[in-house]
């Protein structure tokens, strides 16, 4: 029957998703874990821009080699090297590497020549010219500083004279969060005209370890000509270079939670490039990745002055902050730095709502519970209709069994009699699937929010849940920590996944069973399959699904009792 085929298709889809989780996602997670362990033991190849006889050095050693200007803001600390005047030393004051006490701050940027675990990652700003005889600022330029510290209240002014009539002035300002404004002025005090191109880059040494899963992009990206362009590290290694001419836009490199992006003037015609340079020893984990832009040419006649403003975002991808910058500086689709995916139109509002509720309750776990209640209220009319249909189907089960017994040797007649029964009683066996179908886009959107939203990072619930964006850390296979043994990833079945499986089983027992015995057995396996599948998903998502199931059980019990379905 068509309805049976629909139910069977839903079950098979769930099994496929479960298989994907076991056969692909979990191995990827274990592979990523092994890579992280290897990173702590093995030093990648030295950067390409480091001389052969100059090995990479400790980050602190590199920072201490040249005079620097201190950066101090409510959310950043670091320094600017007066040689080159790039942004190459930043750590995030309010973000730590883990939930452990005294965990170190996230180090975002490191100067050229820095060794792992904080390899070189920095932004530079300069000018280009087709005339190779014109000395221009470079990474070796010694700038003169007009201050001793960069703070939101005190911008930093730098100057450099090229000795041939061009005076370069750079003013670096920073706000209270993660946005730098770099204003480059050039004064032509010489006797000859000069044509210059504004230029900026973000450079990263070595390929960082990434999970490389389909729901998250990590690597070079940008919005050019109003369109999001994303390049995985491995794809850029294969391509070598990607070039796009654009009117405005922005470019950068993103991690799961952090972004380093250049924002040139939005009315400027520019050429953006994404490049990969292999390591000298052909190590695939080495090499160099760069995103850069070249602006429109400017011809400076004698006595003329030009100005170019570039903004640099270097920090956490908080949605409200990205939207604020997008609106304030008219940055096209700056929120696309967060990988919202196909469900953008519901994922982004979900993140806004959960962020609001989390601040309201002071706990993102409570925010998820309140969010679930709100969804249940919004979908109540559909749920009522569905549960009433399920109640009607459950009331018809005795008659359905009689038809099955009477025509057990004639499947065609059995199907025809079943369809006649549904028509006569105005029952629809597929309508009971409606609550599940409604939850599918909600589930994936919420999964995205919990996985990519930094607002959920290290957000605790109660008890043993210290980070809602991570799986439940407990496991039934070591009696939830009572046995001193760490089970493999495949056996990490925590308390919340078990509660979710039990809630699914209870909900299943309240629903009418499929008339076909094979389908009924497959449905009975679903709570077990989901328990194992959800064990490695973010705890916040498991809490949502469990709480949603409990609310559905309460709704279903109330509606079915009022619909006249007798208790077993």
């Amino acid at each position: 029957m068509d309805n049976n085929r629909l139910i069977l298709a839903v079950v098979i889809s769930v099994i496929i998703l479960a298989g994907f989780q076991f056969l692909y996602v979990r191995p990827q997670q274990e592979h990523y874990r092994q890579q992280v362990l290897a990173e702590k033991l093995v030093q990648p190849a030295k950067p390409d821009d480091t001389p052969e006889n100059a090995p990479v050095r400790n980050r602190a050693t590199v920072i201490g080699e040249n005079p620097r200007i201190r950066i101090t803001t409510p959310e950043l600390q670091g320094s600017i090297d007066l040689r080159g005047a790039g942004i190459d030393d930043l750590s995030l004051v309010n973000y730590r590497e883990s939930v452990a006490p005294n965990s170190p701050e996230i180090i975002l940027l490191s100067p050229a020549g820095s060794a792992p675990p904080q390899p070189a990652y920095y932004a530079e700003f300069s000018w280009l010219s087709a005339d190779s005889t014109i000395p221009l600022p470079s990474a070796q330029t010694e700038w003169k500083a007009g201050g001793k510290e960069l703070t939101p209240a005190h911008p930093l002014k730098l100057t450099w004279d090229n000795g041939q009539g061009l005076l370069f002035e750079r003013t670096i300002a920073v706000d209270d969060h993660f946005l730098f404004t770099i204003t480059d002025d050039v004064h032509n005090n010489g006797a000859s005209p000069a044509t210059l191109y504004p230029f900026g880059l973000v450079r990263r040494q070595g390929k960082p370890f990434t999970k490389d899963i389909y729901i998250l992009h990590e690597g070079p990206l940008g919005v050019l000509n109003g369109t999001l362009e994303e390049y995985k590290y491995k794809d850029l290694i294969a391509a070598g270079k990607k070039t796009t001419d654009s009117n405005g836009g922005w470019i950068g490199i993103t991690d799961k939670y952090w972004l380093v992006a250049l924002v040139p003037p939005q009315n400027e015609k520019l050429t953006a490039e994404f490049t990969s340079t292999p390591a000298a020893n052909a190590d695939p984990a080495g090499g160099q990745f760069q995103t850069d832009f070249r602006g429109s040419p400017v011809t400076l006649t004698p006595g003329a002055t030009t100005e170019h403003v570039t903004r640099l975002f270097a920090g956490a991808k908080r949605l409200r902050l990205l939207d604020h910058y997008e609106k304030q500086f008219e940055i096209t689709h700056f929120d696309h730095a967060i990988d919202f995916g196909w469900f953008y139109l519901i994922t982004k509002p979900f993140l806004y709502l959960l962020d609001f509720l989390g601040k309201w309750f002071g706990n993102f776990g409570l925010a998820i519970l309140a969010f679930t209640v709100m969804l249940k209220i919004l979908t109540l009319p559909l749920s009522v209709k569905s549960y009433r249909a399920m109640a009607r189907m459950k009331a018809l089960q005795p008659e359905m069994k009689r038809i099955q017994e009477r025509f057990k040797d004639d499947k065609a007649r059995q199907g025809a009699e079943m369809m006649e029964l549904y028509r006569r009683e105005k029952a629809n066996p597929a309508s009971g699937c409606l609550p599940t179908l409604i939850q599918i886009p909600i589930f994936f959107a919420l999964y995205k929010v919990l996985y990519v939203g930094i607002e959920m990072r290290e957000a605790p619930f109660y008890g043993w849940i210290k980070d809602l964006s991570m799986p439940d850390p407990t496991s039934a296979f070591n009696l939830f920590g009572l046995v001193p043994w760490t089970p493999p990833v495949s056996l990490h079945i925590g308390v919340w996944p078990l509660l979710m499986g039990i809630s699914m089983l209870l909900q299943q027992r309240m629903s009418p069973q499929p008339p076909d015995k094979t389908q009924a057995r497959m449905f009975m396996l679903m709570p077990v399959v989901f328990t194992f599948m959800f064990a490695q998903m973010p705890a916040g998502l498991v809490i949502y699904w469990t709480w949603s199931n409990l609310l559905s059980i309460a709704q279903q019990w109330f509606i079915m009792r009022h619909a006249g379905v007798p208790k077993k």
Side-chain angles (χ1 to χ4, degrees), residues 269-287:
K269 293 187 180 299
L270 56 89
T271 298
E273 287 190 347
F274 303 84
T275 58
S276 169
T277 305
N281 62 356
D283 179 2

Side-chain angles (χ1 to χ4, degrees), residues 331-545:
I331 307 172
T332 306
H333 298 318
F334 203 39
D335 62 336
H336 283 22
I338 302 175
D339 189 356
F340 286 118
W342 296 343
F343 294 98
Y344 172 89
L345 293 178
I346 56 177
T347 306
K348 183 176 179 179
F350 278 7
L351 182 51
Y352 258 115
L353 180 57
L354 280 170
D355 184 42
F356 169 79
L357 292 173
K359 291 176 175 143
W360 179 272
F361 287 104
N363 184 291
F364 274 100
L366 295 179
I368 291 172
L369 300 184
F371 173 82
T372 311
V373 172
M374 295 170 69
L375 287 178
K376 287 295 180 183
I377 293 173
L378 288 174
T379 59
L380 183 59
L382 292 175
S383 297
V384 169
K385 183 178 180 180
S386 176
Y387 292 141
R388 283 178 177 169
M390 291 171 64
R392 185 177 294 274
M393 287 296 298
K394 198 159 188 175
L396 292 177
Q397 282 196 320
E399 181 64 25
M400 293 165 63
K401 288 185 178 294
R402 283 194 291 271
I403 292 175
Q404 286 177 316
E405 290 297 325
R406 184 178 176 185
F407 302 105
K408 61 183 178 181
D409 297 327
D410 188 349
K411 295 296 183 181
R413 180 68 184 278
Q414 183 185 114
E417 291 292 331
M418 286 286 191
M419 293 300 293
E420 176 59 26
L421 175 64
Y422 298 153
R423 185 194 63 77
R424 185 172 66 250
E425 298 296 334
K426 298 180 180 179
N428 184 355
S431 60
C433 300
L434 190 59
T436 301
L437 295 176
I438 292 172
Q439 286 198 70
I440 289 175
I442 294 173
F443 168 82
F444 280 110
L446 188 60
Y447 185 25
K448 268 283 192 179
V449 167
L450 293 172
Y451 194 79
V452 307
I454 194 172
E455 290 80 357
M456 307 299 157
R457 181 182 183 268
E458 297 181 0
F461 188 40
Y462 294 108
W464 61 95
I465 302 297
K466 306 299 183 183
D467 187 347
L468 288 165
S469 68
M470 298 297 291
D472 187 322
T474 60
S475 175
F477 290 92
N478 65 3
L479 300 181
F480 309 108
L482 294 178
V483 177
W485 174 61
T486 302
V489 173
S490 59
L491 295 181
H492 269 284
I493 311 297
V495 175
W496 276 103
L498 285 174
L499 292 175
M500 187 217 65
I502 293 171
S503 69
M504 284 192 68
L505 183 61
L506 291 174
Q507 190 176 22
Q508 191 179 78
R509 295 296 298 272
M510 294 177 64
S511 304
Q513 301 302 305
D516 184 81
K517 292 183 179 180
T518 302
Q519 294 176 17
R521 293 191 190 100
M522 293 177 71
F523 269 107
M524 288 298 293
L525 288 174
M526 286 178 64
V528 177
V529 171
F530 267 71
T531 298
F532 277 86
M533 184 173 70
F534 273 61
Q536 297 305 312
M537 290 189 177
L541 192 67
V542 182
I543 292 170
Y544 156 76
W545 197 266

